[in-house]
Amino acid sequence: DGGITQSPKYLFRKEGQNVTLSCEQNLNHDAMYWYRQDPGQGLRLIYYSQIVNDFQKGDIAEGYSVSREKKESFPLTVTSAQKNPTAFYLCASSGSGRIADTQYFGPGTRLTVL
Amino acid sequence: AQSVTQPDIHITVSEGASLELRCNYSYGATPYLFWYVQSPGQGLQLLLKYFSGDTLVQGIKGFEAEFKRSQSSFNLRKPSVHWSDAAEYFCAGPLSGTYKYIFGTGTRLKVLA
């Protein structure tokens, strides 16, 4: 079955640690996205990538970093510079990265800072 | 500025009753609009999408939405709600000229038995 997988489902981070969230898709989609979801705030875009080896900052990129070395993979690193990282993180992909392409979402990773 | 607004944070309906969730948009040109559903602790699932043409769009799970340009609305409807429809619903659309989506803040639906 084609789809988007995110791992781990739950992640705990200590103060000062960097952590990496995995996102893999086997839909052969060109574009991939990372969103942060907080209660009552909807989804906010962290980073997006339209093609391999290229990515752009979204609305809340500070304290986060990404890479796009392979078409199917778009890992997100939450660095120690992110002061309030506790949130639900969603990865998405869309076919060609064209405007208004439908985005498909993974199951999410819940990150908690201890 | 472009925006997607969901005026209702919470809605409660009885099982079997009809449902309408509101979405208002602010766009210059003809918008592309989507409705997604999210169960607790899960990702978002696409319910339906409007690109152009027929203003009444059918989706999965018995949902439909109607695009009304005169009212700048794209409301989601279901004639008879089931307990399994309890979830959070998001309206979204792409920011004009970009690949970025604008999401509404969501409406949480509670279904009473």
Side-chain angles (χ1 to χ4, degrees):
Chain A
D1 285 340
I4 302 172
T5 58
Q6 292 185 241
S7 62
K9 186 171 178 64
Y10 299 96
L11 185 58
F12 299 91
R13 193 193 91 168
K14 294 181 180 178
E15 295 283 351
Q17 271 186 338
N18 292 354
V19 292
T20 298
L21 284 60
S22 170
C23 177
E24 303 275 336
Q25 55 97 359
N26 61 3
L27 300 168
N28 200 31
H29 284 173
D30 287 322
M32 297 186 74
Y33 311 80
W34 273 106
Y35 292 91
R36 171 178 171 143
Q37 185 177 24
D38 297 280
Q41 296 195 45
L43 277 68
R44 293 182 290 169
L45 183 65
I46 304 172
Y47 270 97
Y48 65 105
S49 168
Q50 295 168 239
I51 57 172
V52 174
N53 293 321
D54 187 50
F55 48 84
Q56 289 80 41
K57 293 182 179 180
D59 301 316
I60 56 164
E62 185 175 352
Y64 300 97
S65 66
V66 294
S67 63
R68 186 87 188 275
E69 298 175 0
K70 298 186 296 182
K71 185 176 184 176
E72 59 270 22
S73 179
F74 192 40
L76 173 74
T77 297
V78 184
T79 74
S80 57
Q82 171 51 237
K83 298 306 179 187
N84 184 25
T86 294
F88 191 55
Y89 291 86
L90 288 161
C91 179
S93 70
S94 64
S96 64
R98 291 174 303 176
I99 294 170
D101 251 0
T102 300
Q103 292 188 14
Y104 297 92
F105 286 81
T109 292
R110 184 165 298 282
L111 173 62
T112 302
V113 174
L114 300 175
Chain B
Q2 290 178 235
S3 65
V4 173
T5 305
Q6 294 179 248
D8 303 306
I9 299 173
H10 297 281
I11 282 188
T12 300
V13 299
S14 297
E15 191 170 19
S18 63
L19 172 70
E20 183 168 28
L21 302 181
R22 296 185 290 166
C23 173
N24 299 110
Y25 66 89
S26 171
Y27 274 74
T30 299
Y32 303 98
L33 293 163
F34 304 81
W35 274 101
Y36 286 87
V37 60
Q38 184 182 34
S39 297
Q42 302 297 317
L44 275 67
Q45 181 183 19
L46 179 69
L47 284 175
L48 49 80
K49 57 187 177 183
Y50 171 76
F51 279 5
S52 65
D54 195 345
T55 56
L56 185 62
V57 181
Q58 301 297 321
I60 63 171
K61 304 185 178 188
F63 285 92
E64 66 178 26
E66 187 170 11
F67 173 69
K68 292 185 177 180
R69 181 183 297 277
S70 61
Q71 299 177 19
S72 298
S73 69
F74 187 57
N75 294 349
L76 183 70
R77 302 193 296 244
K78 187 170 185 178
S80 178
V81 170
H82 188 263
W83 64 266
S84 60
D85 293 323
E88 190 156 22
Y89 292 80
F90 292 93
C91 185
L95 186 64
S96 181
T98 79
Y99 304 90
K100 297 162 61 172
Y101 272 31
I102 305 171
F103 283 84
T105 51
T107 298
R108 186 171 296 278
L109 174 65
K110 182 177 179 180
V111 180
L112 301 176

